[in-house]
Amino acid sequence: MSTTALLTALAILIPQVMPKIVIPPASFTLASHVPIMIAMLISPLAAVVVSLGSALGFLISGLPIEITFRAATHVIFALIGSTFLWKHREYTHGVKFQVFNVVIALIHTLAETAIVYLLLTVGFTHLDGRNLGSLLLILSVGGFIHSLIDFNIAMFIARAVNKVYPLAIFKNDK
């Protein structure tokens, strides 16, 4: 529980202090997914709680509201990914991890792109007049790459932490 609380605190803090590139409705905040992805290695509940904390962090960060909506969709990939990892722990290593990372990045990107598409098509006023295709391209390609990088950072940190504070998902590591 305390690890989840610390990860949630980081998830709230990161959108406020880390460097970012903002091209509404897209934003790419350095390491913003890392606490969520580490939480995915703890439990599905931890992943959901940290994802909700991240959405709160984006809400209070002062960024445009559609970025908060995008952050709220992280619950989807976090829950799916964490549930899968708890059933298939072998996907935390090597090539299998990278395959898992690509699939999770796709789910992550599709969820974010879907919410932005919904907001744009229902006439979110401050997004009116934007080129839908270019926005979705920036979101999808940029978001996919961002997700891949952040999960590799998360796994690096989780493995380092595991040496001092063993995580259950790595219990069979030697």
Side-chain angles (χ1 to χ4, degrees):
M1 187 179 344
S2 59
T3 304
T4 301
L6 288 170
L7 290 170
T8 303
L10 281 172
I12 293 169
L13 187 62
I14 285 172
Q16 298 169 65
V17 300
M18 294 301 277
K20 61 185 75 51
I21 298 169
V22 180
I23 309 165
S27 75
F28 305 101
T29 304
L30 183 63
S32 61
H33 307 107
V34 170
I36 297 167
M37 292 166 168
I38 293 173
M40 287 170 61
L41 303 171
I42 296 171
S43 74
L45 179 59
V48 168
V49 168
V50 176
S51 296
L52 293 172
S54 177
L56 175 62
F58 278 97
L59 177 65
I60 63 177
S61 72
L63 290 168
I65 192 67
E66 66 271 13
I67 294 171
T68 299
F69 282 116
R70 284 183 41 234
T73 69
H74 294 165
V75 170
I76 298 166
F77 86 81
L79 182 59
I80 292 168
S82 185
T83 302
F84 179 84
L85 286 177
W86 277 95
K87 293 178 183 172
H88 306 281
R89 293 173 188 229
E90 69 274 13
Y91 280 84
T92 60
H93 302 300
V95 173
K96 284 187 176 186
F97 168 69
Q98 294 306 330
V99 169
F100 172 77
N101 193 8
V102 166
V103 172
I104 284 302
L106 286 171
I107 294 168
H108 179 177
T109 303
L110 286 171
E112 286 193 4
T113 304
I115 194 67
V116 169
Y117 178 78
L118 178 67
L119 292 172
L120 289 170
T121 56
V122 298
F124 223 58
T125 56
H126 70 286
L127 297 176
D128 282 349
R130 297 283 185 89
N131 181 310
L132 180 63
S134 64
L135 286 176
L136 295 179
L137 182 65
I138 290 168
L139 269 175
S140 58
V141 173
F144 181 76
I145 292 167
H146 186 200
S147 185
L148 290 174
I149 292 168
D150 276 1
F151 212 160
N152 277 289
I153 293 169
M155 191 58 79
F156 176 81
I157 292 169
R159 289 200 183 285
V161 167
N162 185 58
K163 291 177 181 175
V164 177
Y165 177 74
L167 298 170
I169 200 154
F170 297 128
K171 72 179 179 183
N172 295 327
D173 279 6
K174 293 175 173 66

PDB file of all heavy atoms in Angstrom, residues 15 33 36 50-59 65-77 108 112 115:
ATOM      1  N   PRO A  15       3.308  15.726 -13.663  1.00  0.00           N
ATOM      2  CA  PRO A  15       2.766  16.693 -14.651  1.00  0.00           C
ATOM      3  C   PRO A  15       3.023  18.154 -14.279  1.00  0.00           C
ATOM      4  O   PRO A  15       2.965  19.038 -15.126  1.00  0.00           O
ATOM      5  CB  PRO A  15       1.264  16.406 -14.653  1.00  0.00           C
ATOM      6  CG  PRO A  15       1.109  15.069 -14.061  1.00  0.00           C
ATOM      7  CD  PRO A  15       2.265  14.870 -13.123  1.00  0.00           C
ATOM      8  N   HIS A  33       4.345   8.394 -17.524  1.00  0.00           N
ATOM      9  CA  HIS A  33       3.724   7.071 -17.395  1.00  0.00           C
ATOM     10  C   HIS A  33       4.497   6.135 -16.477  1.00  0.00           C
ATOM     11  O   HIS A  33       4.015   5.064 -16.142  1.00  0.00           O
ATOM     12  CB  HIS A  33       3.619   6.405 -18.777  1.00  0.00           C
ATOM     13  CG  HIS A  33       2.937   7.252 -19.785  1.00  0.00           C
ATOM     14  ND1 HIS A  33       3.618   7.878 -20.808  1.00  0.00           N
ATOM     15  CD2 HIS A  33       1.637   7.612 -19.930  1.00  0.00           C
ATOM     16  CE1 HIS A  33       2.763   8.574 -21.540  1.00  0.00           C
ATOM     17  NE2 HIS A  33       1.557   8.433 -21.027  1.00  0.00           N
ATOM     18  N   ILE A  36       2.818   4.781 -13.264  1.00  0.00           N
ATOM     19  CA  ILE A  36       1.723   3.873 -13.620  1.00  0.00           C
ATOM     20  C   ILE A  36       2.283   2.524 -14.043  1.00  0.00           C
ATOM     21  O   ILE A  36       1.789   1.468 -13.633  1.00  0.00           O
ATOM     22  CB  ILE A  36       0.862   4.469 -14.765  1.00  0.00           C
ATOM     23  CG1 ILE A  36       0.205   5.766 -14.327  1.00  0.00           C
ATOM     24  CG2 ILE A  36      -0.172   3.453 -15.255  1.00  0.00           C
ATOM     25  CD1 ILE A  36      -0.402   6.571 -15.471  1.00  0.00           C
ATOM     26  N   VAL A  50      -2.865   4.444  -9.179  1.00  0.00           N
ATOM     27  CA  VAL A  50      -1.821   5.368  -9.649  1.00  0.00           C
ATOM     28  C   VAL A  50      -2.276   6.077 -10.929  1.00  0.00           C
ATOM     29  O   VAL A  50      -2.003   7.266 -11.114  1.00  0.00           O
ATOM     30  CB  VAL A  50      -0.476   4.639  -9.823  1.00  0.00           C
ATOM     31  CG1 VAL A  50       0.581   5.568 -10.413  1.00  0.00           C
ATOM     32  CG2 VAL A  50       0.003   4.083  -8.484  1.00  0.00           C
ATOM     33  N   SER A  51      -3.006   5.381 -11.790  1.00  0.00           N
ATOM     34  CA  SER A  51      -3.543   6.017 -13.003  1.00  0.00           C
ATOM     35  C   SER A  51      -4.500   7.147 -12.655  1.00  0.00           C
ATOM     36  O   SER A  51      -4.451   8.225 -13.269  1.00  0.00           O
ATOM     37  CB  SER A  51      -4.285   4.989 -13.864  1.00  0.00           C
ATOM     38  OG  SER A  51      -3.411   4.010 -14.325  1.00  0.00           O
ATOM     39  N   LEU A  52      -5.353   6.918 -11.690  1.00  0.00           N
ATOM     40  CA  LEU A  52      -6.285   7.971 -11.263  1.00  0.00           C
ATOM     41  C   LEU A  52      -5.528   9.141 -10.635  1.00  0.00           C
ATOM     42  O   LEU A  52      -5.875  10.309 -10.861  1.00  0.00           O
ATOM     43  CB  LEU A  52      -7.322   7.402 -10.293  1.00  0.00           C
ATOM     44  CG  LEU A  52      -8.288   6.391 -10.902  1.00  0.00           C
ATOM     45  CD1 LEU A  52      -9.152   5.748  -9.816  1.00  0.00           C
ATOM     46  CD2 LEU A  52      -9.148   7.030 -11.979  1.00  0.00           C
ATOM     47  N   GLY A  53      -4.462   8.832  -9.887  1.00  0.00           N
ATOM     48  CA  GLY A  53      -3.617   9.894  -9.332  1.00  0.00           C
ATOM     49  C   GLY A  53      -2.959  10.717 -10.424  1.00  0.00           C
ATOM     50  O   GLY A  53      -2.866  11.944 -10.332  1.00  0.00           O
ATOM     51  N   SER A  54      -2.530  10.049 -11.481  1.00  0.00           N
ATOM     52  CA  SER A  54      -1.927  10.748 -12.618  1.00  0.00           C
ATOM     53  C   SER A  54      -2.936  11.693 -13.267  1.00  0.00           C
ATOM     54  O   SER A  54      -2.608  12.840 -13.594  1.00  0.00           O
ATOM     55  CB  SER A  54      -1.418   9.728 -13.641  1.00  0.00           C
ATOM     56  OG  SER A  54      -0.899  10.367 -14.774  1.00  0.00           O
ATOM     57  N   ALA A  55      -4.159  11.219 -13.446  1.00  0.00           N
ATOM     58  CA  ALA A  55      -5.200  12.084 -14.024  1.00  0.00           C
ATOM     59  C   ALA A  55      -5.429  13.304 -13.139  1.00  0.00           C
ATOM     60  O   ALA A  55      -5.574  14.424 -13.643  1.00  0.00           O
ATOM     61  CB  ALA A  55      -6.496  11.296 -14.218  1.00  0.00           C
ATOM     62  N   LEU A  56      -5.430  13.099 -11.829  1.00  0.00           N
ATOM     63  CA  LEU A  56      -5.565  14.228 -10.897  1.00  0.00           C
ATOM     64  C   LEU A  56      -4.393  15.188 -11.059  1.00  0.00           C
ATOM     65  O   LEU A  56      -4.579  16.411 -11.077  1.00  0.00           O
ATOM     66  CB  LEU A  56      -5.643  13.720  -9.453  1.00  0.00           C
ATOM     67  CG  LEU A  56      -5.676  14.794  -8.367  1.00  0.00           C
ATOM     68  CD1 LEU A  56      -6.919  15.671  -8.511  1.00  0.00           C
ATOM     69  CD2 LEU A  56      -5.599  14.156  -6.991  1.00  0.00           C
ATOM     70  N   GLY A  57      -3.194  14.657 -11.199  1.00  0.00           N
ATOM     71  CA  GLY A  57      -2.014  15.493 -11.406  1.00  0.00           C
ATOM     72  C   GLY A  57      -2.132  16.358 -12.646  1.00  0.00           C
ATOM     73  O   GLY A  57      -1.788  17.543 -12.633  1.00  0.00           O
ATOM     74  N   PHE A  58      -2.630  15.762 -13.724  1.00  0.00           N
ATOM     75  CA  PHE A  58      -2.811  16.545 -14.949  1.00  0.00           C
ATOM     76  C   PHE A  58      -3.930  17.570 -14.782  1.00  0.00           C
ATOM     77  O   PHE A  58      -3.837  18.676 -15.306  1.00  0.00           O
ATOM     78  CB  PHE A  58      -3.057  15.628 -16.151  1.00  0.00           C
ATOM     79  CG  PHE A  58      -1.791  15.083 -16.728  1.00  0.00           C
ATOM     80  CD1 PHE A  58      -1.336  13.823 -16.384  1.00  0.00           C
ATOM     81  CD2 PHE A  58      -1.021  15.837 -17.598  1.00  0.00           C
ATOM     82  CE1 PHE A  58      -0.144  13.322 -16.896  1.00  0.00           C
ATOM     83  CE2 PHE A  58       0.171  15.360 -18.114  1.00  0.00           C
ATOM     84  CZ  PHE A  58       0.615  14.094 -17.764  1.00  0.00           C
ATOM     85  N   LEU A  59      -4.974  17.219 -14.041  1.00  0.00           N
ATOM     86  CA  LEU A  59      -6.075  18.153 -13.807  1.00  0.00           C
ATOM     87  C   LEU A  59      -5.589  19.400 -13.065  1.00  0.00           C
ATOM     88  O   LEU A  59      -5.923  20.520 -13.447  1.00  0.00           O
ATOM     89  CB  LEU A  59      -7.193  17.475 -13.005  1.00  0.00           C
ATOM     90  CG  LEU A  59      -8.383  18.358 -12.637  1.00  0.00           C
ATOM     91  CD1 LEU A  59      -9.133  18.803 -13.887  1.00  0.00           C
ATOM     92  CD2 LEU A  59      -9.311  17.613 -11.690  1.00  0.00           C
ATOM     93  N   ILE A  65      -7.854  20.859 -20.481  1.00  0.00           N
ATOM     94  CA  ILE A  65      -8.665  19.778 -19.908  1.00  0.00           C
ATOM     95  C   ILE A  65      -8.637  18.499 -20.750  1.00  0.00           C
ATOM     96  O   ILE A  65      -8.729  17.394 -20.212  1.00  0.00           O
ATOM     97  CB  ILE A  65     -10.123  20.242 -19.641  1.00  0.00           C
ATOM     98  CG1 ILE A  65     -10.879  19.231 -18.773  1.00  0.00           C
ATOM     99  CG2 ILE A  65     -10.859  20.493 -20.946  1.00  0.00           C
ATOM    100  CD1 ILE A  65     -10.382  19.116 -17.359  1.00  0.00           C
ATOM    101  N   GLU A  66      -8.476  18.633 -22.070  1.00  0.00           N
ATOM    102  CA  GLU A  66      -8.447  17.414 -22.885  1.00  0.00           C
ATOM    103  C   GLU A  66      -7.227  16.557 -22.557  1.00  0.00           C
ATOM    104  O   GLU A  66      -7.258  15.337 -22.724  1.00  0.00           O
ATOM    105  CB  GLU A  66      -8.513  17.732 -24.384  1.00  0.00           C
ATOM    106  CG  GLU A  66      -7.325  18.472 -24.933  1.00  0.00           C
ATOM    107  CD  GLU A  66      -7.455  19.985 -24.843  1.00  0.00           C
ATOM    108  OE1 GLU A  66      -8.350  20.491 -24.152  1.00  0.00           O
ATOM    109  OE2 GLU A  66      -6.628  20.658 -25.501  1.00  0.00           O
ATOM    110  N   ILE A  67      -6.180  17.156 -22.027  1.00  0.00           N
ATOM    111  CA  ILE A  67      -5.007  16.385 -21.613  1.00  0.00           C
ATOM    112  C   ILE A  67      -5.341  15.586 -20.358  1.00  0.00           C
ATOM    113  O   ILE A  67      -4.892  14.448 -20.191  1.00  0.00           O
ATOM    114  CB  ILE A  67      -3.781  17.314 -21.445  1.00  0.00           C
ATOM    115  CG1 ILE A  67      -3.421  17.879 -22.834  1.00  0.00           C
ATOM    116  CG2 ILE A  67      -2.609  16.585 -20.810  1.00  0.00           C
ATOM    117  CD1 ILE A  67      -2.376  18.971 -22.834  1.00  0.00           C
ATOM    118  N   THR A  68      -6.159  16.139 -19.489  1.00  0.00           N
ATOM    119  CA  THR A  68      -6.631  15.388 -18.313  1.00  0.00           C
ATOM    120  C   THR A  68      -7.499  14.215 -18.755  1.00  0.00           C
ATOM    121  O   THR A  68      -7.379  13.107 -18.211  1.00  0.00           O
ATOM    122  CB  THR A  68      -7.425  16.310 -17.368  1.00  0.00           C
ATOM    123  OG1 THR A  68      -6.556  17.352 -16.920  1.00  0.00           O
ATOM    124  CG2 THR A  68      -7.979  15.538 -16.189  1.00  0.00           C
ATOM    125  N   PHE A  69      -8.368  14.437 -19.733  1.00  0.00           N
ATOM    126  CA  PHE A  69      -9.184  13.329 -20.249  1.00  0.00           C
ATOM    127  C   PHE A  69      -8.302  12.223 -20.814  1.00  0.00           C
ATOM    128  O   PHE A  69      -8.561  11.042 -20.620  1.00  0.00           O
ATOM    129  CB  PHE A  69     -10.160  13.809 -21.328  1.00  0.00           C
ATOM    130  CG  PHE A  69     -11.373  14.509 -20.793  1.00  0.00           C
ATOM    131  CD1 PHE A  69     -11.593  15.853 -21.077  1.00  0.00           C
ATOM    132  CD2 PHE A  69     -12.309  13.836 -20.021  1.00  0.00           C
ATOM    133  CE1 PHE A  69     -12.719  16.503 -20.588  1.00  0.00           C
ATOM    134  CE2 PHE A  69     -13.432  14.477 -19.530  1.00  0.00           C
ATOM    135  CZ  PHE A  69     -13.640  15.819 -19.817  1.00  0.00           C
ATOM    136  N   ARG A  70      -7.242  12.616 -21.520  1.00  0.00           N
ATOM    137  CA  ARG A  70      -6.302  11.618 -22.054  1.00  0.00           C
ATOM    138  C   ARG A  70      -5.657  10.847 -20.910  1.00  0.00           C
ATOM    139  O   ARG A  70      -5.535   9.630 -20.967  1.00  0.00           O
ATOM    140  CB  ARG A  70      -5.210  12.294 -22.908  1.00  0.00           C
ATOM    141  CG  ARG A  70      -5.685  12.706 -24.266  1.00  0.00           C
ATOM    142  CD  ARG A  70      -4.579  13.317 -25.124  1.00  0.00           C
ATOM    143  NE  ARG A  70      -3.331  12.610 -25.001  1.00  0.00           N
ATOM    144  CZ  ARG A  70      -2.169  13.190 -24.671  1.00  0.00           C
ATOM    145  NH1 ARG A  70      -2.102  14.480 -24.437  1.00  0.00           N
ATOM    146  NH2 ARG A  70      -1.077  12.470 -24.588  1.00  0.00           N
ATOM    147  N   ALA A  71      -5.239  11.560 -19.863  1.00  0.00           N
ATOM    148  CA  ALA A  71      -4.609  10.901 -18.715  1.00  0.00           C
ATOM    149  C   ALA A  71      -5.573   9.928 -18.033  1.00  0.00           C
ATOM    150  O   ALA A  71      -5.163   8.864 -17.568  1.00  0.00           O
ATOM    151  CB  ALA A  71      -4.104  11.938 -17.721  1.00  0.00           C
ATOM    152  N   ALA A  72      -6.843  10.271 -18.007  1.00  0.00           N
ATOM    153  CA  ALA A  72      -7.833   9.384 -17.385  1.00  0.00           C
ATOM    154  C   ALA A  72      -7.954   8.048 -18.125  1.00  0.00           C
ATOM    155  O   ALA A  72      -8.261   7.025 -17.518  1.00  0.00           O
ATOM    156  CB  ALA A  72      -9.188  10.081 -17.313  1.00  0.00           C
ATOM    157  N   THR A  73      -7.658   8.056 -19.424  1.00  0.00           N
ATOM    158  CA  THR A  73      -7.730   6.791 -20.174  1.00  0.00           C
ATOM    159  C   THR A  73      -6.603   5.838 -19.804  1.00  0.00           C
ATOM    160  O   THR A  73      -6.649   4.666 -20.175  1.00  0.00           O
ATOM    161  CB  THR A  73      -7.691   7.018 -21.706  1.00  0.00           C
ATOM    162  OG1 THR A  73      -6.391   7.484 -22.098  1.00  0.00           O
ATOM    163  CG2 THR A  73      -8.781   7.965 -22.168  1.00  0.00           C
ATOM    164  N   HIS A  74      -5.614   6.298 -19.060  1.00  0.00           N
ATOM    165  CA  HIS A  74      -4.516   5.420 -18.661  1.00  0.00           C
ATOM    166  C   HIS A  74      -4.994   4.258 -17.798  1.00  0.00           C
ATOM    167  O   HIS A  74      -4.335   3.218 -17.731  1.00  0.00           O
ATOM    168  CB  HIS A  74      -3.431   6.215 -17.935  1.00  0.00           C
ATOM    169  CG  HIS A  74      -2.739   7.192 -18.817  1.00  0.00           C
ATOM    170  ND1 HIS A  74      -1.961   8.210 -18.318  1.00  0.00           N
ATOM    171  CD2 HIS A  74      -2.701   7.329 -20.166  1.00  0.00           C
ATOM    172  CE1 HIS A  74      -1.470   8.915 -19.319  1.00  0.00           C
ATOM    173  NE2 HIS A  74      -1.918   8.410 -20.451  1.00  0.00           N
ATOM    174  N   VAL A  75      -6.131   4.437 -17.155  1.00  0.00           N
ATOM    175  CA  VAL A  75      -6.709   3.346 -16.371  1.00  0.00           C
ATOM    176  C   VAL A  75      -6.906   2.111 -17.259  1.00  0.00           C
ATOM    177  O   VAL A  75      -6.696   0.977 -16.815  1.00  0.00           O
ATOM    178  CB  VAL A  75      -8.055   3.784 -15.735  1.00  0.00           C
ATOM    179  CG1 VAL A  75      -8.791   2.609 -15.126  1.00  0.00           C
ATOM    180  CG2 VAL A  75      -7.813   4.868 -14.695  1.00  0.00           C
ATOM    181  N   ILE A  76      -7.261   2.328 -18.504  1.00  0.00           N
ATOM    182  CA  ILE A  76      -7.539   1.217 -19.422  1.00  0.00           C
ATOM    183  C   ILE A  76      -6.293   0.382 -19.673  1.00  0.00           C
ATOM    184  O   ILE A  76      -6.280  -0.829 -19.424  1.00  0.00           O
ATOM    185  CB  ILE A  76      -8.121   1.743 -20.752  1.00  0.00           C
ATOM    186  CG1 ILE A  76      -9.460   2.451 -20.509  1.00  0.00           C
ATOM    187  CG2 ILE A  76      -8.263   0.608 -21.769  1.00  0.00           C
ATOM    188  CD1 ILE A  76      -9.947   3.289 -21.685  1.00  0.00           C
ATOM    189  N   PHE A  77      -5.221   1.006 -20.171  1.00  0.00           N
ATOM    190  CA  PHE A  77      -4.032   0.214 -20.468  1.00  0.00           C
ATOM    191  C   PHE A  77      -3.395  -0.332 -19.197  1.00  0.00           C
ATOM    192  O   PHE A  77      -2.839  -1.437 -19.190  1.00  0.00           O
ATOM    193  CB  PHE A  77      -3.024   0.981 -21.339  1.00  0.00           C
ATOM    194  CG  PHE A  77      -2.047   1.862 -20.602  1.00  0.00           C
ATOM    195  CD1 PHE A  77      -0.915   1.326 -20.009  1.00  0.00           C
ATOM    196  CD2 PHE A  77      -2.239   3.229 -20.540  1.00  0.00           C
ATOM    197  CE1 PHE A  77      -0.004   2.133 -19.346  1.00  0.00           C
ATOM    198  CE2 PHE A  77      -1.334   4.044 -19.883  1.00  0.00           C
ATOM    199  CZ  PHE A  77      -0.206   3.499 -19.276  1.00  0.00           C
ATOM    200  N   HIS A 108      -2.723   1.864 -25.217  1.00  0.00           N
ATOM    201  CA  HIS A 108      -2.571   3.183 -24.611  1.00  0.00           C
ATOM    202  C   HIS A 108      -2.878   4.282 -25.640  1.00  0.00           C
ATOM    203  O   HIS A 108      -3.684   5.190 -25.396  1.00  0.00           O
ATOM    204  CB  HIS A 108      -1.124   3.273 -24.114  1.00  0.00           C
ATOM    205  CG  HIS A 108      -0.721   4.554 -23.482  1.00  0.00           C
ATOM    206  ND1 HIS A 108       0.525   4.733 -22.946  1.00  0.00           N
ATOM    207  CD2 HIS A 108      -1.344   5.744 -23.307  1.00  0.00           C
ATOM    208  CE1 HIS A 108       0.639   5.948 -22.459  1.00  0.00           C
ATOM    209  NE2 HIS A 108      -0.492   6.588 -22.666  1.00  0.00           N
ATOM    210  N   GLU A 112      -6.147   6.965 -25.872  1.00  0.00           N
ATOM    211  CA  GLU A 112      -5.951   8.419 -25.865  1.00  0.00           C
ATOM    212  C   GLU A 112      -6.479   9.059 -27.145  1.00  0.00           C
ATOM    213  O   GLU A 112      -7.114  10.117 -27.108  1.00  0.00           O
ATOM    214  CB  GLU A 112      -4.468   8.757 -25.692  1.00  0.00           C
ATOM    215  CG  GLU A 112      -3.954   8.534 -24.293  1.00  0.00           C
ATOM    216  CD  GLU A 112      -2.588   9.153 -24.070  1.00  0.00           C
ATOM    217  OE1 GLU A 112      -2.062   9.823 -24.984  1.00  0.00           O
ATOM    218  OE2 GLU A 112      -2.056   8.980 -22.967  1.00  0.00           O
ATOM    219  N   ILE A 115     -10.369   9.211 -27.122  1.00  0.00           N
ATOM    220  CA  ILE A 115     -10.991  10.260 -26.311  1.00  0.00           C
ATOM    221  C   ILE A 115     -10.826  11.628 -26.971  1.00  0.00           C
ATOM    222  O   ILE A 115     -11.741  12.448 -26.963  1.00  0.00           O
ATOM    223  CB  ILE A 115     -10.468  10.266 -24.846  1.00  0.00           C
ATOM    224  CG1 ILE A 115     -11.360  11.132 -23.949  1.00  0.00           C
ATOM    225  CG2 ILE A 115      -9.045  10.751 -24.742  1.00  0.00           C
ATOM    226  CD1 ILE A 115     -12.747  10.632 -23.733  1.00  0.00           C
TER     227      ILE A 115
END
